[in-house]
Amino acid sequence: VMRLLKALRFMSDLRVMAMMIAHSMLSLFWLFLIVCALLYITSIILTQGATDYRFPEHTEPPEDFERFGEYFGSLFTTMYSLFMSFTGGINWGELAKMMSSVGGLYFV
């Protein structure tokens, strides 16, 4: 009987924790949406800067043309590169060093 009462008390605590997690899902959704929006906006800016750097109007393309295409070739690849950089897939310092050659605004 005592074990049953202890188990019921544990179930009550488990139910409270499950309810707390369920009620926090709306906040988690909005947080996820904000992170995705920031990733998208940042990717647009970096892709534009990398494209201007890769395809200059009056000069030859830079020697690291292919490398920029690998990480910043399209909006999707830029988003993927940024996602990998803040989840540990790529060292973010590499991407920052590449963008420093594009300009100080893109480096910051």
Side-chain angles (χ1 to χ4, degrees), residues 8-66:
L8 287 176
R9 193 186 93 205
F10 175 72
M11 290 299 188
S12 174
D13 292 343
L14 185 62
R15 183 180 55 82
V16 169
M17 287 189 335
M19 292 300 291
M20 292 168 78
I21 290 171
H23 288 300
S24 68
M25 284 299 161
L26 184 62
S27 298
L28 183 64
F29 168 75
W30 286 112
L31 180 66
F32 178 73
L33 192 68
I34 289 171
V35 168
C36 287
L38 287 173
L39 179 70
Y40 181 71
I41 292 167
T42 306
S43 296
I44 289 173
I45 294 168
L46 292 180
T47 303
Q48 183 64 44
T51 302
D52 290 344
Y53 177 73
R54 287 177 66 207
F55 301 106
E57 291 183 25
H58 303 294
T59 59
E60 293 292 318
E63 55 190 50
D64 53 356
F65 179 85
E66 291 297 323

